[in-house]
């Protein structure tokens, strides 16, 4: 593949990923609508994420808790509940959220 062809493919997938993220659909649903295989989307999401080394969606924010020592946070999004205790590993939470985004 020529350098120009690789660049065109990269630009095509950058546009597709932007469309996917804006759609609010799961990876499977979006791929079904666009006639693509989910593993293709997953590959390019991972490729761009690795290059930018930033979370796939959104930004991280700092939450200053006024809760008593030892308590955590419970996030409810749709029918998914994530309970986060003090001392959690942020990398694990990142991976859990990414996994949920892939199936939700």
């Amino acid at each position: 593949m020529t350098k120009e062809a690789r660049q065109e493919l990269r630009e095509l997938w950058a546009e597709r990923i932007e469309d996917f993220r804006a759609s609010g659909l799961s990876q499977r649903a979006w791929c079904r609508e666009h006639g693509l295989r989910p593993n293709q989307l997953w590959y390019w999401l991972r490729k761009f994420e690795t290059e930018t080394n930033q979370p796939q969606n959104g930004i991280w924010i700092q939450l200053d808790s006024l809760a008593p020592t030892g308590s955590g946070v419970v996030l409810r999004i749709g029918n998914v509940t994530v309970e986060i205790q003090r001392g959690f590993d942020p990398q694990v939470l990142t991976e859990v959220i990414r996994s949920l985004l892939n199936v939700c």
Side-chain angles (χ1 to χ4, degrees):
M1 182 178 274
T2 67
K3 184 177 179 180
E4 292 81 17
R6 280 193 304 271
Q7 183 61 31
E8 286 179 27
L9 184 60
R10 180 179 180 75
E11 290 171 7
L12 172 65
W13 274 100
E15 290 173 14
R16 286 177 172 169
I17 288 172
E18 185 177 328
D19 181 64
F20 160 69
R21 288 182 174 156
S23 75
L25 297 172
S26 69
Q27 286 186 11
R28 288 184 183 162
W30 186 86
C31 287
R32 194 175 320 119
E33 282 190 8
H34 291 86
L36 299 168
R37 295 188 317 266
N39 65 322
Q40 291 174 300
L41 177 60
W42 181 84
Y43 169 84
W44 284 97
L45 283 167
R46 203 72 164 151
K47 183 171 180 62
F48 287 125
E49 177 187 339
T50 301
E51 290 173 3
T52 61
N53 198 25
Q54 295 182 8
Q56 286 184 5
N57 285 330
I59 58 171
W60 285 101
I61 60 171
Q62 178 69 37
L63 294 178
D64 296 320
S65 174
L66 300 176
T69 303
S71 66
V73 174
V74 176
L75 300 173
R76 288 186 184 91
I77 303 169
N79 61 353
V80 175
T81 301
V82 178
E83 187 173 340
I84 305 162
Q85 297 296 323
R86 287 191 182 276
F88 73 94
D89 181 343
Q91 185 60 39
V92 171
L93 179 59
T94 300
E95 293 303 317
V96 167
I97 291 172
R98 286 182 181 149
S99 296
L100 289 171
L101 288 170
N102 289 336
V103 296
C104 293

